[in-house]
Amino acid sequence: MLKNSQEVGVKYMRLWEELEEARREGLEEGHDSGLTEGKEIERLESIKKLMESMGWTAEQAMDALQIPAEEREKYRN
């Protein structure tokens, strides 16, 4: 009976470690995604503010913010 109890305990700990690792990975992915999304929102707001306050086109605002050419289409949309 003691042997079975120890086997169950070991199985439980392994499962707990696997679930903890999966939870950590999920949090990291969510955090990274949130940072990227926040950065894009902030850039878009900066573009809008430059357009409004300076009377610039979207291209001029993106030039001033040094946004790479390959990223500009998503901000235009």
Side-chain angles (χ1 to χ4, degrees):
M1 187 170 179
L2 181 60
K3 184 178 178 182
N4 284 340
S5 178
Q6 287 177 339
E7 286 177 14
V8 169
V10 169
K11 287 180 183 178
Y12 173 80
M13 288 305 295
R14 283 186 189 149
L15 178 60
W16 184 85
E17 288 172 355
E18 289 174 11
L19 290 173
E20 184 65 19
E21 179 65 23
R23 184 187 70 77
R24 245 182 277 133
E25 288 174 2
L27 285 173
E28 287 174 6
E29 288 176 16
H31 180 71
D32 292 344
S33 174
L35 287 176
T36 301
E37 223 172 88
K39 180 180 171 185
E40 290 178 358
I41 291 170
E42 184 64 31
R43 273 188 168 176
L44 184 58
E45 289 302 312
S46 295
I47 293 167
K48 288 179 180 179
K49 287 177 183 175
L50 284 171
M51 291 172 69
E52 290 171 7
S53 65
M54 303 298 288
W56 290 350
T57 65
E59 287 301 316
Q60 289 171 320
M62 287 188 276
D63 285 342
L65 294 171
Q66 299 179 346
I67 296 175
E70 61 272 8
E71 295 179 19
R72 291 182 179 207
E73 187 63 29
K74 69 181 167 189
Y75 295 112
R76 280 189 210 105
N77 293 332

